[in-house]
Amino acid sequence: MNAIVAGVGMTTFGKHMDRQLKSLAVEAIQSAIEDAGLSLADIEAAYYANVAAGTMVGQVCIPGQVALREMGLGGIPVVNVKNACASASTAFHQGCAMVSAGVYDVVLVVGAEKLYHQDKSRTFSVFDGCVDYEDFDRVVDSVKTRIARAGGAADEGAGQHSFFMDIYAAMALDHMAAHGTTQAQFAAISAKNSRHGNLNPYAQYRGVMSVEEVLAARGIAYPLTLPMCSPIGDGAAAAILVSERKARQLGVNRSVRVRSSVLASGRDSVAGEEAGITELAAKQAYDEAGVGPDDLDVIELHDASAPSELIYYETLGLCPRGQGGQLAESGDTALGGRIPVNPSGGLLRKGHPIGATGLAQIAELTWQLRGVATGRQVSGARVALAENGGGYIGEDAAAMVISVLSC
Protein backbone atom coordinates (compact mmCIF):
# COMPACT_ATOMS: atom_id res chain seq x y z
CA MET A 1 0.00 0.00 0.00
CA ASN A 2 1.18 3.51 -0.82
CA ALA A 3 -1.81 5.52 0.36
CA ILE A 4 -1.58 8.44 2.78
CA VAL A 5 -4.34 9.51 5.17
CA ALA A 6 -4.31 13.26 4.65
CA GLY A 7 -7.43 14.15 6.61
CA VAL A 8 -10.11 12.67 8.83
CA GLY A 9 -13.37 13.81 10.34
CA MET A 10 -16.37 12.45 12.20
CA THR A 11 -19.55 13.46 13.94
CA THR A 12 -20.37 12.63 17.49
CA PHE A 13 -21.95 9.19 17.68
CA GLY A 14 -25.31 8.92 19.39
CA LYS A 15 -29.03 9.43 18.99
CA HIS A 16 -29.57 11.96 16.20
CA MET A 17 -33.31 11.62 15.68
CA ASP A 18 -33.57 15.22 14.46
CA ARG A 19 -30.96 14.86 11.68
CA GLN A 20 -31.00 13.34 8.22
CA LEU A 21 -28.50 10.72 7.15
CA LYS A 22 -27.21 13.12 4.50
CA SER A 23 -26.43 15.83 7.04
CA LEU A 24 -24.34 13.46 9.15
CA ALA A 25 -22.32 12.38 6.11
CA VAL A 26 -21.80 15.97 4.99
CA GLU A 27 -20.53 17.03 8.42
CA ALA A 28 -17.92 14.27 8.50
CA ILE A 29 -16.85 14.89 4.89
CA GLN A 30 -16.45 18.62 5.40
CA SER A 31 -14.33 18.01 8.51
CA ALA A 32 -12.07 15.57 6.65
CA ILE A 33 -11.63 17.88 3.66
CA GLU A 34 -10.78 20.80 5.93
CA ASP A 35 -8.38 18.63 7.91
CA ALA A 36 -6.60 17.63 4.69
CA GLY A 37 -6.34 21.22 3.49
CA LEU A 38 -8.14 20.37 0.25
CA SER A 39 -11.36 21.39 -1.50
CA LEU A 40 -14.26 19.52 -3.05
CA ALA A 41 -12.73 20.11 -6.47
CA ASP A 42 -9.69 18.01 -5.52
CA ILE A 43 -11.69 14.81 -4.93
CA GLU A 44 -11.43 12.39 -7.86
CA ALA A 45 -13.54 9.49 -6.56
CA ALA A 46 -15.59 8.55 -3.52
CA TYR A 47 -16.44 5.34 -1.68
CA TYR A 48 -19.54 5.62 0.49
CA ALA A 49 -20.35 3.00 3.12
CA ASN A 50 -23.82 2.45 4.53
CA VAL A 51 -25.79 -0.60 5.63
CA ALA A 52 -29.24 0.37 6.84
CA ALA A 53 -30.46 3.33 4.77
CA GLY A 54 -32.86 1.18 2.76
CA THR A 55 -34.47 -0.20 5.91
CA MET A 56 -34.31 2.84 8.16
CA VAL A 57 -34.90 5.84 5.87
CA GLY A 58 -35.98 4.24 2.57
CA GLN A 59 -32.80 5.18 0.65
CA VAL A 60 -32.41 1.75 -0.94
CA CYS A 61 -29.92 2.84 -3.60
CA ILE A 62 -27.47 5.67 -4.38
CA PRO A 63 -26.95 6.94 -0.80
CA GLY A 64 -23.48 8.16 -1.71
CA GLN A 65 -24.60 10.17 -4.72
CA VAL A 66 -27.43 11.68 -2.68
CA ALA A 67 -25.12 12.75 0.16
CA LEU A 68 -22.44 14.19 -2.12
CA ARG A 69 -24.97 16.10 -4.21
CA GLU A 70 -26.14 17.68 -0.96
CA MET A 71 -22.77 19.40 -0.69
CA GLY A 72 -22.40 20.21 -4.40
CA LEU A 73 -20.12 17.35 -5.41
CA GLY A 74 -21.02 15.40 -8.54
CA GLY A 75 -19.57 14.06 -11.76
CA ILE A 76 -16.95 11.87 -10.08
CA PRO A 77 -17.16 8.08 -9.68
CA VAL A 78 -19.13 7.18 -6.54
CA VAL A 79 -19.07 3.58 -5.31
CA ASN A 80 -21.60 2.54 -2.67
CA VAL A 81 -20.29 -0.11 -0.27
CA LYS A 82 -22.36 -2.47 1.88
CA ASN A 83 -20.43 -5.12 3.83
CA ALA A 84 -22.23 -5.37 7.16
CA CYS A 85 -20.32 -3.85 10.10
CA ALA A 86 -17.14 -3.88 7.98
CA SER A 87 -18.63 -1.55 5.36
CA ALA A 88 -16.59 1.55 6.20
CA SER A 89 -13.33 -0.35 6.50
CA THR A 90 -14.11 -2.04 3.17
CA ALA A 91 -14.57 1.40 1.60
CA PHE A 92 -11.24 2.40 3.17
CA HIS A 93 -9.55 -0.72 1.76
CA GLN A 94 -10.93 -0.02 -1.72
CA GLY A 95 -9.89 3.62 -1.62
CA CYS A 96 -6.38 2.69 -0.49
CA ALA A 97 -6.11 0.10 -3.27
CA MET A 98 -7.12 2.58 -5.98
CA VAL A 99 -4.71 5.25 -4.74
CA SER A 100 -1.90 2.70 -4.40
CA ALA A 101 -2.56 1.45 -7.93
CA GLY A 102 -2.17 4.99 -9.27
CA VAL A 103 -5.75 5.27 -10.52
CA TYR A 104 -6.51 8.34 -8.38
CA ASP A 105 -4.49 10.89 -6.42
CA VAL A 106 -7.28 11.97 -4.06
CA VAL A 107 -10.08 9.71 -2.83
CA LEU A 108 -12.83 10.38 -0.31
CA VAL A 109 -14.01 7.47 1.84
CA VAL A 110 -17.01 7.98 4.10
CA GLY A 111 -19.35 5.89 6.22
CA ALA A 112 -22.69 7.08 7.56
CA GLU A 113 -25.54 5.42 9.40
CA LYS A 114 -28.82 6.02 11.21
CA LEU A 115 -30.03 3.12 13.36
CA TYR A 116 -32.32 4.78 15.87
CA HIS A 117 -36.00 4.35 15.04
CA GLN A 118 -39.22 4.38 17.04
CA ASP A 119 -39.79 0.79 15.88
CA LYS A 120 -36.94 -1.25 17.37
CA SER A 121 -37.89 -4.29 15.32
CA ARG A 122 -36.88 -2.37 12.21
CA THR A 123 -33.43 -1.77 13.69
CA PHE A 124 -33.03 -5.42 14.70
CA SER A 125 -34.00 -6.51 11.18
CA VAL A 126 -30.89 -4.77 9.85
CA PHE A 127 -28.70 -7.10 11.90
CA ASP A 128 -30.76 -10.13 10.87
CA GLY A 129 -29.75 -9.32 7.30
CA CYS A 130 -26.07 -9.62 8.23
CA VAL A 131 -26.29 -13.42 8.15
CA ASP A 132 -27.50 -15.82 5.43
CA TYR A 133 -31.10 -14.62 5.56
CA GLU A 134 -32.44 -17.30 3.21
CA ASP A 135 -31.13 -19.81 5.75
CA PHE A 136 -31.95 -17.71 8.79
CA ASP A 137 -33.83 -20.35 10.78
CA ARG A 138 -30.93 -22.79 10.51
CA VAL A 139 -28.47 -20.08 11.61
CA VAL A 140 -30.62 -19.27 14.65
CA ASP A 141 -30.97 -22.95 15.56
CA SER A 142 -27.21 -23.40 15.26
CA VAL A 143 -26.52 -20.52 17.66
CA LYS A 144 -29.17 -21.76 20.11
CA THR A 145 -27.56 -25.19 20.05
CA ARG A 146 -24.14 -23.71 20.83
CA ILE A 147 -25.57 -21.75 23.75
CA ALA A 148 -27.49 -24.70 25.15
CA ARG A 149 -24.47 -27.00 24.77
CA ALA A 150 -22.46 -24.61 26.90
CA GLY A 151 -25.16 -24.42 29.54
CA GLY A 152 -26.62 -21.04 28.64
CA ALA A 153 -30.25 -19.98 28.25
CA ALA A 154 -30.84 -20.12 24.51
CA ASP A 155 -34.04 -18.06 24.60
CA GLU A 156 -32.99 -15.49 27.19
CA GLY A 157 -34.32 -12.06 26.20
CA ALA A 158 -35.49 -13.30 22.79
CA GLY A 159 -36.75 -10.46 20.61
CA GLN A 160 -35.41 -7.78 22.96
CA HIS A 161 -31.97 -7.42 21.43
CA SER A 162 -30.05 -7.95 18.22
CA PHE A 163 -29.53 -11.58 17.22
CA PHE A 164 -25.81 -10.82 17.15
CA MET A 165 -25.80 -10.60 20.94
CA ASP A 166 -26.84 -14.26 20.97
CA ILE A 167 -23.95 -15.01 18.64
CA TYR A 168 -21.55 -13.20 20.98
CA ALA A 169 -23.02 -14.98 23.99
CA ALA A 170 -22.33 -18.30 22.27
CA MET A 171 -18.74 -17.24 21.56
CA ALA A 172 -18.29 -16.15 25.17
CA LEU A 173 -19.68 -19.39 26.59
CA ASP A 174 -17.44 -21.44 24.31
CA HIS A 175 -14.40 -19.46 25.51
CA MET A 176 -15.39 -19.84 29.15
CA ALA A 177 -15.78 -23.60 28.76
CA ALA A 178 -12.52 -24.04 26.87
CA HIS A 179 -10.27 -21.69 28.82
CA GLY A 180 -11.85 -20.93 32.17
CA THR A 181 -12.56 -17.32 31.22
CA THR A 182 -14.82 -15.54 33.70
CA GLN A 183 -17.68 -13.08 33.35
CA ALA A 184 -15.65 -10.65 35.44
CA GLN A 185 -12.87 -10.69 32.83
CA PHE A 186 -15.39 -9.66 30.17
CA ALA A 187 -16.62 -6.95 32.54
CA ALA A 188 -13.04 -5.67 32.92
CA ILE A 189 -13.05 -4.83 29.21
CA SER A 190 -16.30 -2.89 29.47
CA ALA A 191 -14.99 -1.00 32.49
CA LYS A 192 -11.71 -0.20 30.73
CA ASN A 193 -13.49 1.07 27.62
CA SER A 194 -15.80 3.20 29.75
CA ARG A 195 -12.75 4.97 31.18
CA HIS A 196 -11.42 5.54 27.67
CA GLY A 197 -14.77 6.67 26.25
CA ASN A 198 -15.11 9.18 29.08
CA LEU A 199 -12.09 10.95 27.56
CA ASN A 200 -13.46 11.03 24.00
CA PRO A 201 -15.69 13.99 23.04
CA TYR A 202 -17.08 12.01 20.07
CA ALA A 203 -18.23 9.07 22.20
CA GLN A 204 -21.87 8.11 22.60
CA TYR A 205 -21.45 7.21 26.29
CA ARG A 206 -19.11 9.13 28.58
CA GLY A 207 -19.80 7.75 32.07
CA VAL A 208 -17.20 5.59 33.88
CA MET A 209 -18.28 2.17 35.15
CA SER A 210 -16.59 -0.24 37.51
CA VAL A 211 -16.34 -3.98 36.96
CA GLU A 212 -18.92 -4.45 39.71
CA GLU A 213 -21.35 -2.05 38.04
CA VAL A 214 -20.94 -3.82 34.69
CA LEU A 215 -21.69 -7.18 36.31
CA ALA A 216 -24.72 -5.80 38.15
CA ALA A 217 -26.28 -4.28 35.03
CA ARG A 218 -29.30 -5.73 33.24
CA GLY A 219 -28.66 -9.10 31.64
CA ILE A 220 -28.93 -9.40 27.86
CA ALA A 221 -27.86 -12.97 27.04
CA TYR A 222 -25.66 -14.67 29.62
CA PRO A 223 -22.84 -13.92 30.22
CA LEU A 224 -23.49 -10.54 28.57
CA THR A 225 -24.87 -7.63 30.54
CA LEU A 226 -25.93 -4.40 28.85
CA PRO A 227 -22.55 -2.58 29.15
CA MET A 228 -20.88 -5.60 27.50
CA CYS A 229 -22.91 -4.98 24.33
CA SER A 230 -22.27 -2.21 21.81
CA PRO A 231 -25.20 0.20 21.43
CA ILE A 232 -26.93 1.12 18.21
CA GLY A 233 -26.16 4.65 17.08
CA ASP A 234 -26.27 7.34 14.43
CA GLY A 235 -23.20 9.04 13.03
CA ALA A 236 -20.66 9.39 10.26
CA ALA A 237 -16.89 9.34 9.74
CA ALA A 238 -14.70 10.13 6.74
CA ALA A 239 -11.11 10.14 5.52
CA ILE A 240 -9.25 11.71 2.62
CA LEU A 241 -6.67 9.41 1.01
CA VAL A 242 -3.93 10.77 -1.22
CA SER A 243 -1.04 9.36 -3.19
CA GLU A 244 2.56 9.92 -2.13
CA ARG A 245 2.95 12.29 -5.08
CA LYS A 246 -0.06 14.33 -4.02
CA ALA A 247 1.12 14.38 -0.40
CA ARG A 248 4.47 15.84 -1.50
CA GLN A 249 2.68 18.37 -3.69
CA LEU A 250 0.47 19.45 -0.79
CA GLY A 251 3.35 19.52 1.65
CA VAL A 252 1.35 17.39 4.05
CA ASN A 253 3.37 17.33 7.26
CA ARG A 254 1.04 15.24 9.38
CA SER A 255 0.93 12.26 7.06
CA VAL A 256 -0.24 8.88 8.28
CA ARG A 257 0.86 6.09 5.99
CA VAL A 258 -1.25 3.02 5.25
CA ARG A 259 1.25 0.18 5.55
CA SER A 260 -1.30 -2.52 4.71
CA SER A 261 -5.03 -3.00 4.40
CA VAL A 262 -6.35 -6.53 3.99
CA LEU A 263 -9.93 -7.51 3.17
CA ALA A 264 -10.89 -11.16 3.64
CA SER A 265 -14.18 -13.03 3.54
CA GLY A 266 -15.47 -15.78 5.81
CA ARG A 267 -15.50 -19.33 4.54
CA ASP A 268 -16.29 -22.82 5.73
CA SER A 269 -13.47 -23.99 7.99
CA VAL A 270 -11.15 -26.76 6.93
CA ALA A 271 -11.17 -29.86 9.13
CA GLY A 272 -8.47 -29.62 11.79
CA GLU A 273 -7.75 -25.95 11.07
CA GLU A 274 -7.84 -23.64 14.09
CA ALA A 275 -7.09 -20.36 12.34
CA GLY A 276 -10.18 -18.34 11.44
CA ILE A 277 -10.59 -15.40 9.13
CA THR A 278 -9.12 -12.92 11.64
CA GLU A 279 -5.88 -14.86 12.09
CA LEU A 280 -5.50 -15.28 8.33
CA ALA A 281 -6.15 -11.59 7.61
CA ALA A 282 -3.90 -10.48 10.48
CA LYS A 283 -0.99 -12.57 9.23
CA GLN A 284 -1.33 -11.08 5.76
CA ALA A 285 -1.61 -7.54 7.14
CA TYR A 286 1.43 -8.01 9.39
CA ASP A 287 3.47 -9.53 6.56
CA GLU A 288 2.59 -6.76 4.09
CA ALA A 289 3.36 -4.05 6.65
CA GLY A 290 6.58 -5.72 7.80
CA VAL A 291 5.51 -5.67 11.45
CA GLY A 292 4.24 -8.06 14.10
CA PRO A 293 1.99 -7.78 17.15
CA ASP A 294 4.93 -6.70 19.34
CA ASP A 295 5.51 -3.68 17.09
CA LEU A 296 2.06 -2.22 17.64
CA ASP A 297 1.63 0.84 19.85
CA VAL A 298 -2.16 1.25 19.72
CA ILE A 299 -5.13 -0.74 18.42
CA GLU A 300 -8.74 0.03 17.57
CA LEU A 301 -10.68 -3.22 17.27
CA HIS A 302 -14.24 -4.40 16.78
CA ASP A 303 -15.58 -4.80 20.32
CA ALA A 304 -19.21 -5.23 19.32
CA SER A 305 -19.30 -7.13 22.59
CA ALA A 306 -16.80 -7.37 25.44
CA PRO A 307 -16.09 -11.04 24.62
CA SER A 308 -15.28 -9.98 21.06
CA GLU A 309 -12.44 -7.76 22.26
CA LEU A 310 -11.09 -10.50 24.51
CA ILE A 311 -11.10 -13.06 21.71
CA TYR A 312 -9.49 -10.60 19.29
CA TYR A 313 -6.60 -10.20 21.76
CA GLU A 314 -5.79 -13.80 20.92
CA THR A 315 -6.55 -13.86 17.20
CA LEU A 316 -4.48 -10.71 16.61
CA GLY A 317 -1.54 -12.27 18.46
CA LEU A 318 -1.49 -9.95 21.47
CA CYS A 319 -1.43 -13.00 23.73
CA PRO A 320 -1.48 -16.79 23.33
CA ARG A 321 -4.78 -18.56 22.66
CA GLY A 322 -6.78 -18.95 25.85
CA GLN A 323 -5.03 -16.12 27.71
CA GLY A 324 -7.29 -13.24 26.65
CA GLY A 325 -8.95 -13.21 30.05
CA GLN A 326 -5.68 -12.70 31.87
CA LEU A 327 -4.72 -9.93 29.46
CA ALA A 328 -8.09 -8.25 29.96
CA GLU A 329 -7.67 -7.96 33.72
CA SER A 330 -3.93 -7.19 33.66
CA GLY A 331 -4.28 -3.51 32.73
CA ASP A 332 -1.94 -3.95 29.75
CA THR A 333 -4.64 -2.92 27.24
CA ALA A 334 -5.61 0.25 29.10
CA LEU A 335 -4.19 3.69 28.46
CA GLY A 336 -0.74 3.70 30.03
CA GLY A 337 -0.47 -0.06 29.59
CA ARG A 338 1.77 -2.14 27.32
CA ILE A 339 -0.59 -2.11 24.32
CA PRO A 340 -3.60 0.22 24.66
CA VAL A 341 -6.70 -1.13 22.90
CA ASN A 342 -9.67 1.06 21.97
CA PRO A 343 -8.50 4.36 23.45
CA SER A 344 -11.58 5.86 21.77
CA GLY A 345 -13.80 3.81 24.06
CA GLY A 346 -14.38 1.30 21.29
CA LEU A 347 -17.76 0.30 19.95
CA LEU A 348 -18.92 -0.32 23.51
CA ARG A 349 -18.67 3.35 24.48
CA LYS A 350 -17.86 5.38 21.37
CA GLY A 351 -20.84 3.68 19.72
CA HIS A 352 -21.51 1.50 16.70
CA PRO A 353 -23.40 3.13 13.81
CA ILE A 354 -22.40 0.15 11.73
CA GLY A 355 -21.80 1.84 8.36
CA ALA A 356 -19.45 4.38 9.96
CA THR A 357 -17.57 2.27 12.50
CA GLY A 358 -14.52 1.29 10.45
CA LEU A 359 -13.71 4.87 9.49
CA ALA A 360 -14.21 6.07 13.05
CA GLN A 361 -11.41 3.64 13.94
CA ILE A 362 -9.22 5.17 11.23
CA ALA A 363 -9.97 8.68 12.49
CA GLU A 364 -9.01 7.74 16.05
CA LEU A 365 -5.77 6.07 14.98
CA THR A 366 -4.88 9.02 12.75
CA TRP A 367 -5.26 11.36 15.71
CA GLN A 368 -3.22 8.98 17.87
CA LEU A 369 -0.38 8.78 15.35
CA ARG A 370 -0.39 12.55 14.94
CA GLY A 371 -0.19 12.91 18.72
CA VAL A 372 -3.34 15.04 18.96
CA ALA A 373 -5.77 12.70 20.78
CA THR A 374 -6.08 15.11 23.67
CA GLY A 375 -6.80 13.47 27.03
CA ARG A 376 -6.45 9.92 25.70
CA GLN A 377 -3.18 10.12 23.80
CA VAL A 378 -1.05 6.98 23.69
CA SER A 379 2.45 8.20 24.41
CA GLY A 380 4.88 7.76 21.51
CA ALA A 381 2.38 6.00 19.21
CA ARG A 382 4.07 5.19 15.90
CA VAL A 383 2.41 2.00 14.60
CA ALA A 384 -1.32 1.30 14.82
CA LEU A 385 -3.74 -1.43 13.79
CA ALA A 386 -7.46 -1.28 12.99
CA GLU A 387 -9.57 -4.46 12.96
CA ASN A 388 -13.17 -4.32 11.75
CA GLY A 389 -15.34 -7.38 11.15
CA GLY A 390 -18.82 -7.69 9.73
CA GLY A 391 -21.56 -10.25 9.33
CA TYR A 392 -21.59 -13.91 10.27
CA ILE A 393 -21.04 -16.99 8.12
CA GLY A 394 -20.66 -20.48 9.55
CA GLU A 395 -19.13 -19.64 12.92
CA ASP A 396 -16.94 -16.76 11.79
CA ALA A 397 -17.08 -13.19 10.49
CA ALA A 398 -18.35 -12.81 6.93
CA ALA A 399 -16.04 -9.86 6.19
CA MET A 400 -12.83 -8.82 7.91
CA VAL A 401 -10.63 -5.79 7.28
CA ILE A 402 -7.31 -5.31 9.08
CA SER A 403 -5.24 -2.21 8.37
CA VAL A 404 -1.83 -1.19 9.70
CA LEU A 405 -0.97 2.52 9.86
CA SER A 406 2.21 4.33 10.83
CA CYS A 407 3.61 7.83 11.08
Side-chain angles (χ1 to χ4, degrees):
M1 288 286 179
N2 295 309
I4 304 293
V5 181
V8 293
M10 64 179 288
T11 69
T12 56
F13 283 3
K15 190 174 185 178
H16 296 297
M17 296 289 284
D18 59 338
R19 295 188 61 180
Q20 291 185 323
L21 179 64
K22 291 183 294 186
S23 77
L24 294 169
V26 168
E27 179 184 336
I29 293 167
Q30 289 175 333
S31 295
I33 291 173
E34 181 179 351
D35 188 44
L38 296 171
S39 69
L40 284 176
D42 294 307
I43 297 172
E44 300 171 348
Y47 290 80
Y48 182 97
N50 173 269
V51 178
T55 301
M56 305 303 292
V57 300
Q59 190 67 55
V60 177
C61 298
I62 64 166
Q65 287 87 341
V66 167
L68 294 179
R69 176 180 177 273
E70 189 79 2
M71 57 192 308
L73 181 59
I76 64 171
V78 177
V79 180
N80 292 292
V81 178
K82 181 179 287 190
N83 219 3
C85 301
S87 294
S89 56
T90 300
F92 179 76
H93 169 271
Q94 293 294 289
C96 289
M98 296 300 275
V99 168
S100 298
V103 179
Y104 305 116
D105 279 322
V106 182
V107 169
L108 163 68
V109 288
V110 57
E113 202 73 82
K114 280 184 67 69
L115 287 174
Y116 273 103
H117 195 277
Q118 292 177 342
D119 181 2
K120 287 187 177 181
S121 66
R122 185 177 295 192
T123 302
F124 293 155
S125 73
V126 172
F127 294 93
D128 291 348
C130 294
V131 303
D132 183 351
Y133 197 73
E134 292 186 352
D135 205 15
F136 188 72
D137 290 343
R138 186 199 61 77
V139 176
V140 171
D141 288 343
S142 173
V143 171
K144 286 183 177 180
T145 298
R146 287 178 65 188
I147 292 174
R149 187 173 60 231
D155 293 319
E156 182 182 359
Q160 302 302 309
H161 56 257
S162 160
F163 172 59
F164 269 79
M165 292 307 121
D166 294 317
I167 294 173
Y168 295 131
M171 292 167 50
L173 289 166
D174 285 346
H175 204 276
M176 294 168 81
H179 305 294
T181 311
T182 68
Q183 189 186 30
Q185 289 172 330
F186 298 138
I189 289 172
S190 297
K192 180 263 297 182
N193 286 351
S194 78
R195 296 193 298 273
H196 292 179
N198 187 55
L199 303 172
N200 184 358
Y202 293 96
Q204 184 165 346
Y205 292 109
R206 301 286 300 276
V208 175
M209 299 188 74
S210 67
V211 169
E212 293 72 23
E213 287 171 327
V214 173
L215 290 171
R218 175 167 64 89
I220 299 298
Y222 185 82
L224 306 182
T225 64
L226 184 62
M228 297 184 197
C229 306
S230 62
I232 62 169
D234 305 333
I240 301 294
L241 305 173
V242 302
S243 64
E244 292 181 319
R245 183 184 69 83
K246 188 67 174 181
R248 289 193 297 270
Q249 177 185 328
L250 292 170
V252 175
N253 57 10
R254 297 186 300 167
S255 295
V256 170
R257 180 177 298 276
V258 182
R259 300 274 291 272
S260 65
S261 185
V262 173
L263 168 63
S265 298
R267 56 181 175 77
D268 291 332
S269 59
V270 178
E273 180 183 53
E274 285 194 29
I277 192 63
T278 309
E279 291 98 326
L280 297 174
K283 183 180 186 307
Q284 186 178 344
Y286 288 141
D287 288 348
E288 289 185 8
V291 301
D294 291 341
D295 298 307
L296 302 176
D297 298 311
V298 59
I299 296 170
E300 283 284 308
L301 59 73
H302 194 86
D303 59 321
S305 69
S308 303
E309 178 168 327
L310 186 149
I311 292 169
Y312 284 133
Y313 291 164
E314 301 172 12
T315 54
L316 292 172
L318 306 186
C319 65
R321 186 180 295 273
Q323 295 185 20
Q326 295 94 305
L327 182 58
E329 61 188 0
S330 70
D332 282 352
T333 59
L335 284 167
R338 175 176 61 85
I339 176 62
V341 174
N342 287 329
S344 68
L347 283 58
L348 291 175
R349 304 302 286 185
K350 179 182 74 237
H352 186 27
I354 54 181
T357 291
L359 280 163
Q361 292 178 330
I362 297 300
E364 176 67 23
L365 293 179
T366 297
W367 292 324
Q368 290 287 345
L369 293 173
R370 288 177 177 173
V372 296
T374 305
R376 61 188 187 282
Q377 179 64 48
V378 175
S379 179
R382 304 283 298 176
V383 182
L385 180 143
E387 176 274 325
N388 183 211
Y392 180 71
I393 284 182
E395 294 185 0
D396 211 339
M400 177 61 61
V401 181
I402 296 181
S403 302
V404 177
L405 314 177
S406 68
C407 59

